[in-house]
Amino acid sequence: MFDTKQGGYFYSRTKDILEFVGVAASTTVNNRENYIWDNSVVKNAAGEYVTNTQYQNRPLLLLYICKCKTCISRLSKSRIYKLREIALGYNMPQKWFKGTFIGSGNISVFGNNLFIWTNKGNDYVDPEVNSGGASNEQGFDFSARPSVKNYGFKVGLTF
């Protein structure tokens, strides 16, 4: 079973915390060394905007000082593609059970939540997580547990 959901907005506290403490991949730009921000400009003495060749970004300070600007990226449009379930089964031939007390049999293997594809840049969480407990709330991730992948097999017999 494959499904998709598109549209709506999603807030991820998990992304916020990982960036704040500096363990998210987005915090490793330029090996956490100071650098000049690409395509940045500064205002010169004449009041004109010119290419920045002098002022460097301090990545670790950016996490703490510009907190208000990072919250915009935490609220993003949601797009999800999921492989919810895949199963492969085999019905055993009736002749295998001839002369026994077993009427029929089958065996199958399955997997749930095997793959998820989300918006580019969302390496943090499944947008369908529910931080509100037993409710229909969606779109608010406040450090919720990740979706669980399940694998298994089933043997079915009728008597």
Side-chain angles (χ1 to χ4, degrees), residues 1-55:
M1 177 170 63
F2 177 83
D3 84 36
T4 180
K5 284 187 179 181
Q6 298 190 25
Y9 286 90
F10 158 69
Y11 174 89
S12 177
R13 177 76 171 140
T14 302
K15 178 180 189 246
D16 178 36
I17 291 170
L18 292 174
E19 286 180 341
F20 181 78
V21 297
V23 295
S26 60
T27 66
T28 62
V29 175
N30 200 45
N31 201 26
R32 295 188 173 110
E33 298 294 327
N34 294 350
Y35 63 97
I36 295 175
W37 204 312
D38 288 340
N39 300 318
S40 61
V41 295
V42 294
K43 193 183 265 189
N44 65 16
E48 301 167 336
Y49 289 97
V50 295
T51 302
N52 176 23
T53 58
Q54 176 182 356
Y55 300 102

Side-chain angles (χ1 to χ4, degrees), residues 25-156:
S26 60
T27 66
T28 62
V29 175
N30 200 45
N31 201 26
R32 295 188 173 110
E33 298 294 327
N34 294 350
Y35 63 97
I36 295 175
W37 204 312
D38 288 340
N39 300 318
S40 61
V41 295
V42 294
K43 193 183 265 189
N44 65 16
E48 301 167 336
Y49 289 97
V50 295
T51 302
N52 176 23
T53 58
Q54 176 182 356
Y55 300 102
Q56 295 190 355
N57 171 34
R58 295 183 186 158
L60 296 177
L61 272 173
L62 184 67
L63 294 173
Y64 299 98
I65 295 171
C66 296
K67 198 86 169 97
C68 60
K69 291 184 180 177
T70 62
C71 69
I72 295 167
S73 67
R74 288 181 278 149
L75 186 64
S76 61
K77 283 193 173 183
S78 181
R79 182 176 64 240
I80 312 163
Y81 302 97
K82 278 189 174 183
L83 180 57
R84 288 231 189 252
E85 182 178 344
I86 191 164
L88 179 64
Y90 177 72
N91 290 324
M92 299 175 203
Q94 290 285 332
K95 66 181 180 181
W96 289 8
F97 305 108
K98 194 171 186 175
T100 69
F101 62 93
I102 300 172
S104 65
N106 62 57
I107 187 166
S108 61
V109 293
F110 66 88
N112 297 322
N113 294 324
L114 299 179
F115 298 102
I116 181 170
W117 297 271
T118 61
N119 294 16
K120 184 179 178 184
N122 178 11
D123 301 324
Y124 305 95
V125 69
D126 176 354
E128 288 187 321
V129 298
N130 180 353
S131 294
S135 73
N136 289 329
E137 176 184 276
Q138 288 187 4
F140 294 100
D141 157 42
F142 289 95
S143 306
R145 293 183 179 150
S147 301
V148 177
K149 289 182 184 180
N150 294 312
Y151 306 93
F153 69 94
K154 179 181 113 179
V155 176

